[in-house]
Structures are given as C-alpha cells and as structure tokens.
Amino acid sequence: MAIAAATAAALSSLSSSSSPSRLFLRTPRALTPRTPRRPRPFSVKALSAPALTQDDLKKLAADKAVEYVRSGMVLGLGTGSTAAFVVAKLGELLKAGQLKDIVGVPTSKRTEEQARGLGIPLSVLDDHPRIDLAIDGADEVDPDLNLVKGRGGALLREKMVEAASKEFVVVADETKLVDGLGGSGLAMPVEIVQFCWKYNLVRLKELFNEEGCEAKLRLNEDGKPYVTDNSNYIVDLYFKTPIKDGPAAGKEISSLEGVVEHGLFLNMATAVIIAGKTGVDVKTK
C-alpha cells in the first residue's frame, strides 16, 4: 500500500507541472519538415543579335569569295577596304597550310604592301599575263553586274589586271547595289594625265550635261591634287541621274585625248557576291 501511495503521489505531481510537454521526446531538427521558401522573382531579357556593321558585311563577302581560290592559282589582288579583307584571308589560309603555291598580282602599291607583309608571293602582269582569278570590290553594282570602281584611286591597274583574268569575282555589301550606274550620287572616277587637266575636266562635264553631271578634281586632305600610282590625276564625276547607256558613255570618255582610263567596268564580272543583313547572295550572269 505504501508503494502504491508513493507512485500515485508522483504521478499527481507530474500532472500538475507547468511544462507537460517534457513528457515527450522532441522531433530531431533534421527531420522537421521546413516551410518551402517562396522563389525570388526573376526576369529573362531577350537577347538580340548585334547588328552587323558594314565591315562585317564586307568580311562575309570576302570569306565567300576566297572559296573560289585553289592552290596553284595566279590571283589578281584588288584594292580597297573590301579587297583588303580578301587579302587578309588569303594570308591566313597560306599560314595555316590550307593554300599553297599561289601567286598574287596586286592592283596597287597599297595592296602590294599588305600582301607582302602577309607572306603572299607576288608577281606582275609582265610575268603572268594570264590570271586565273581576280577578286576585288566595287563602288556600284547594277542589275546586269556592271560596275563603277576606282574611288580608291587604283582604277587603271585594277582594270588591266581584271581584264587579264579568266574569272573576275566581285565582293560588296548591299549598300553598293544601284538601279543604274552613277545612281548612288557618289563619284565615278576618270583618270587623266596631269597636263592641261582643267581642259579635260570641262570636256568631261560637257559630255554629261543631260545627266546634270558635276566634275571635280580629286584632292588630298592637304588640298593638293590626288596623284595615282601611275602619276596621274583623277576627275570625279557626280551624276544627278544614272548613266543611260554605260557602253556609250565609256566609249565617249575614252575618246578624249588625255583620258587614261575610266571607272566603268562593263561586262567584266563573272560573279558578284553581295553580303546583306539576311545573308550572302551570289549573283552570276
């Protein structure tokens, strides 16, 4: 009876305790389910491709044109910003061993310096009068693949080299496309001898009065006449309306005494590679 009474007293004491929860084991912290965290808000910004610059487009066209090149070819190397990308790519392929035994015939001193610096073997028309392929840029391209060239000042050498080529591939960006030659409103160059240049400037302007032509002697930044690699001057013709008959215009310009060459490259291009924002397009006749 004494034991039963003691047990009952102990239970009574525990039941009256202020902390009844101590009768139970605590659930381990690791097993306690956690209230899931609300995910932090986030946003995804649409990433748009960077717009292609004019130099990007020129490089795209140049890379495509170099696909025409094969080892062992004699190549006409053009002049200008687009042609410089072609020469640079040729230098890369030579260095990597992907092209071998090519020979370049440069169309200007500027191109010659660039090609020589890249290790491209060079020659001249006297030693290679038959060229496999010429690649060059253009200032204007019409729907018949006729061209205006020479705003870089190398039109005489360009025309000589490209006329001697079995194939002439032109590289350009879409801004060079025109409905008719002279249609861009930019210069159509004519190379003339220095002797009595004003006399020929006036005669060139009078040839194209109907097209509202303006004729200007090309000047350097210092205000002195620009001199070509062949020691000639350049008269730049600016047309308000496109030239109506390219072959007839070229013939009339060439008939003037003192004219060395003009920038109309007619029926010469075998393919024109145009780089635009939607891709590269190859036009052939």
Side-chain angles (χ1 to χ4, degrees):
M1 293 294 291
I3 294 173
T7 302
L11 290 173
S12 175
S13 175
L14 287 173
S15 62
S16 63
S17 173
S18 60
S19 302
S21 61
R22 291 177 184 173
L23 288 171
F24 306 97
L25 294 175
R26 291 184 179 181
T27 304
R29 184 181 296 263
L31 299 179
T32 303
R34 297 180 180 179
T35 302
R37 292 183 179 180
R38 185 174 299 176
R40 293 180 180 179
F42 69 97
S43 62
V44 178
K45 295 182 178 179
L47 299 177
S48 58
L52 293 177
T53 66
Q54 193 170 12
D55 278 349
D56 292 332
L57 296 177
K58 290 176 180 180
K59 189 176 186 303
L60 283 175
D63 288 349
K64 182 65 177 178
V66 172
E67 293 178 11
Y68 287 75
V69 179
R70 298 290 180 268
S71 294
M73 277 187 167
V74 178
L75 301 171
L77 305 179
T79 296
S81 58
T82 309
F85 285 115
V86 173
V87 176
K89 185 67 175 181
L90 291 173
E92 290 178 16
L93 295 176
L94 271 177
K95 186 176 181 180
Q98 294 176 256
L99 278 179
K100 297 179 180 179
D101 302 322
I102 64 171
V103 176
V105 178
T107 56
S108 67
K109 293 178 181 178
R110 183 165 68 253
T111 298
E112 179 181 353
E113 291 173 0
Q114 181 194 8
R116 199 178 299 282
L118 294 170
I120 300 175
L122 300 178
S123 189
V124 293
L125 272 177
D126 286 339
D127 296 330
H128 291 88
R130 294 291 179 268
I131 295 175
D132 297 305
L133 170 67
I135 305 176
D136 204 352
D139 300 310
E140 292 183 3
V141 181
D142 78 3
D144 296 322
L145 307 191
N146 292 314
L147 318 169
V148 167
K149 288 178 49 58
R151 288 181 193 150
L155 62 156
L156 173 59
R157 295 191 185 189
E158 286 175 336
K159 190 170 282 191
M160 290 178 68
V161 169
E162 286 146 16
S165 302
K166 295 176 184 176
E167 290 186 279
F168 174 29
V169 174
V170 176
V171 288
D173 64 87
E174 61 187 357
T175 65
K176 303 301 192 296
L177 298 176
V178 295
D179 293 329
L181 297 182
S184 69
L186 301 176
M188 197 288 282
V190 180
E191 189 164 346
I192 64 171
V193 297
Q194 294 190 31
F195 177 72
C196 295
W197 64 265
K198 289 183 181 179
Y199 168 71
N200 272 322
L201 182 147
V202 172
R203 292 204 295 169
L204 286 167
K205 183 180 185 303
E206 290 176 346
L207 278 179
F208 301 103
N209 278 334
E210 292 184 6
E211 285 83 2
C213 177
E214 185 178 2
K216 294 181 180 181
L217 181 71
R218 186 177 298 185
L219 304 176
N220 290 318
E221 292 180 358
D222 59 6
K224 295 181 180 180
Y226 175 89
V227 179
T228 70
D229 287 350
N230 293 86
S231 301
N232 296 312
Y233 286 170
I234 287 182
V235 171
D236 286 322
L237 303 180
Y238 298 87
F239 296 89
K240 291 183 179 179
T241 60
I243 298 170
K244 297 176 182 177
D245 188 335
K251 187 175 181 179
E252 288 189 62
I253 294 171
S254 296
S255 69
L256 299 179
E257 301 82 7
V259 167
V260 179
E261 191 52 81
H262 57 74
L264 297 173
F265 284 54
L266 309 173
N267 299 312
M268 293 180 65
T270 53
V272 176
I273 299 171
I274 301 291
K277 295 175 182 177
T278 58
V280 177
D281 186 24
V282 180
K283 300 179 182 293
T284 58
K285 288 187 176 181

